[in-house]
Amino acid sequence: MKAEERWQARFRASRMTLPSWARQAPNRSIYRSNATGTWQVYAWDRVSGATRQVTDRPRGAVYAAIDPTGQWIYWFADTEGDEFGTWWRQPFNGGPDEPVAPDVPPGQPGGIALSATGLAAISWAGGGAFRIHLVRAGDPATLLYEHAETNWVTDISLDGSLIAINHGEYSDFRHPALRVVRPNGDTVGELYDGPGKGVIGLGFAPVMGDRRLLALHERRSRNEPLVWDAMTGEQREIWLKDSGDLAAEWYHDGRSLLILRDDRARSHLHRYDLAGGVLKPIETPHGVIDAAAPRPGGHVEYSWSSASHPPVIRSSN
C-alpha cells in the first residue's frame, strides 16, 4: 500500500469512544462508534461479549450516558444535527424508547447527571436562559436552577442528595464557580477562586453516601485536581511537580484517583492514593491519551493514538 493510501486509510477507519460503564453494574457499558458512517450509541454486555446498536439517528447521536444501576441508556435526540432537541432513554437490554422529560420544552443540551435512585439532573439552554431540571420517571420535572449566565450540571451524588453545578454568575463560562446544592435548591457550599481562575467540577465519589466532589482548579496557572467536601468545606489539592495540564477520575472505591497528565504532545497516567499520598506511574506506550477510566479490577482503559497509530482502546493490564 502506498504511503498516501495508508494515510487516507487511517482517517477513514471507523472509530469508537472510550466505553463508559454503570457504577453499580460495571459489566454493562456503552460507547459511541461511527462504524455505520454516523456516530451512534452501542450497548456492550461485558459478560457475554454481546453488543447492539441502540440509536439509529440520521445525523448521529452526540451525547449518551448510562445510569449507575445499568438499567437505562440515555441519549440526546436533536432534530437535524443542530443540537436542539430532547433526551430519550431505552432499557439496556432493548425495548421501547421513552422521553426523559416530556414536559420540558426542547433545548440545547448542557449535560445530564444520573443517580442510582432514579433522580436525574438535566441542563438545558434556550429562550435566553440556562436551566437545570430535576427529573424522575413518572413525575413532573422540577426547575432546580435558572440564570441568564451559562451554567451546567456537573454531577449528582449516587444517592441523589447532592447536585454539583458550574455557573458563570461571577465571571464567565471559561472560569466558572462550582456550587453544590440539595434537590430543593438550597446551597450546601461553593468554590470561587476569583476572576480568571475557574473551578470545574468532575464528579462525586462513586460510593453511596460519599459527599466528596472531584474538581479541577487553576490556582497555579494550570488545571490541577482537588477533592472537596461541600458539607465541611474541607479541600485537598493534588499537586504534581511535573509540568503539563492535569485531569483526574475516581477509582471505583473512592480511595484513589487516576491522574492524566498531558505535556508536550505526550500523555502520562498515574494512580494517586488518597490515604497515603503515594503517586505511582501507570505504564502506557508513547502517544496521546484522549480519555481514560479505571475499572473495578484496578486496571485502566484508555483511548490512545500516536503519530504512527490510529486511535484504539487499550487496557493497562
Side-chain angles (χ1 to χ4, degrees):
M1 184 182 290
K2 297 179 180 179
E4 183 177 354
E5 292 175 340
R6 291 198 301 268
W7 178 84
Q8 291 176 348
R10 174 182 176 182
F11 286 93
R12 289 173 178 169
S14 61
R15 300 187 181 187
M16 64 176 289
T17 61
L18 183 71
S20 57
W21 49 276
R23 289 296 182 182
Q24 296 182 331
N27 287 322
R28 292 188 168 189
S29 295
I30 63 168
Y31 62 91
R32 292 189 307 114
S33 172
N34 65 353
T36 64
T38 56
W39 286 95
Q40 304 292 345
V41 181
Y42 293 80
W44 174 25
D45 186 327
R46 291 174 182 250
V47 174
S48 67
T51 63
R52 70 176 185 88
Q53 186 175 331
V54 177
T55 62
D56 188 16
R57 307 283 305 167
R59 302 289 183 177
V62 179
Y63 306 102
I66 185 170
D67 87 293
T69 68
Q71 297 187 39
W72 293 93
I73 298 172
Y74 292 70
W75 73 91
F76 188 79
D78 57 13
T79 51
E80 289 294 333
D82 57 1
E83 294 195 3
F84 189 88
T86 57
W87 283 92
W88 289 72
R89 71 176 190 171
Q90 181 186 121
F92 181 85
N93 288 323
D97 301 337
E98 61 180 55
V100 176
D103 54 343
V104 176
Q108 293 178 309
I112 188 170
L114 306 169
S115 74
T117 64
L119 185 66
I122 304 177
S123 302
W124 308 87
F130 297 85
R131 303 175 182 87
I132 299 175
H133 285 87
L134 294 182
V135 177
R136 189 186 296 274
D139 294 337
T142 60
L143 182 64
L144 176 69
Y145 178 82
E146 180 178 13
H147 203 278
E149 297 297 332
T150 304
N151 61 79
W152 63 94
V153 62
T154 292
D155 197 18
I156 186 170
S157 59
L158 271 181
D159 61 7
S161 65
L162 299 174
I163 301 103
I165 298 171
N166 269 123
H167 66 83
E169 291 181 23
Y170 314 134
S171 182
D172 57 73
F173 76 96
R174 292 178 60 86
H175 307 97
L178 179 60
R179 181 179 296 163
V180 171
V181 302
R182 300 188 188 278
N184 63 4
D186 290 346
T187 297
V188 176
E190 185 165 58
L191 289 181
Y192 176 58
D193 289 342
K197 294 182 179 181
V199 185
I200 300 174
L202 298 178
F204 285 101
V207 178
M208 188 67 76
D210 200 324
R211 306 180 308 237
R212 295 173 300 160
L213 179 64
L214 182 60
L216 295 175
H217 67 85
E218 299 176 294
R219 297 168 184 172
R220 285 179 285 270
S221 301
R222 69 169 180 174
N223 288 325
E224 295 180 337
L226 67 83
V227 177
W228 175 43
D229 186 331
M231 298 282 287
T232 64
E234 180 183 358
Q235 300 179 39
R236 179 173 178 177
E237 297 183 13
I238 313 300
W239 180 79
L240 271 69
K241 65 179 180 179
D242 298 306
S243 61
D245 273 346
L246 306 177
E249 175 65 71
W250 290 102
Y251 273 81
H252 75 286
D253 57 6
R255 297 178 181 178
S256 303
L257 299 177
L258 175 67
I259 307 293
L260 170 61
R261 181 171 64 89
D262 288 315
D263 186 30
R264 290 174 289 186
R266 171 80 198 278
S267 298
H268 309 264
L269 291 179
H270 307 267
R271 179 168 181 159
Y272 181 84
D273 176 55
L274 288 168
V278 177
L279 185 72
K280 295 181 179 180
I282 298 173
E283 292 298 325
T284 59
H286 287 212
V288 175
I289 297 173
D290 292 325
R295 289 284 295 164
H299 62 284
V300 176
E301 295 177 346
Y302 56 97
S303 177
W304 174 90
S305 65
S306 71
S308 57
H309 294 85
V312 294
I313 307 300
R314 304 180 69 113
S315 174
S316 61
N317 283 5

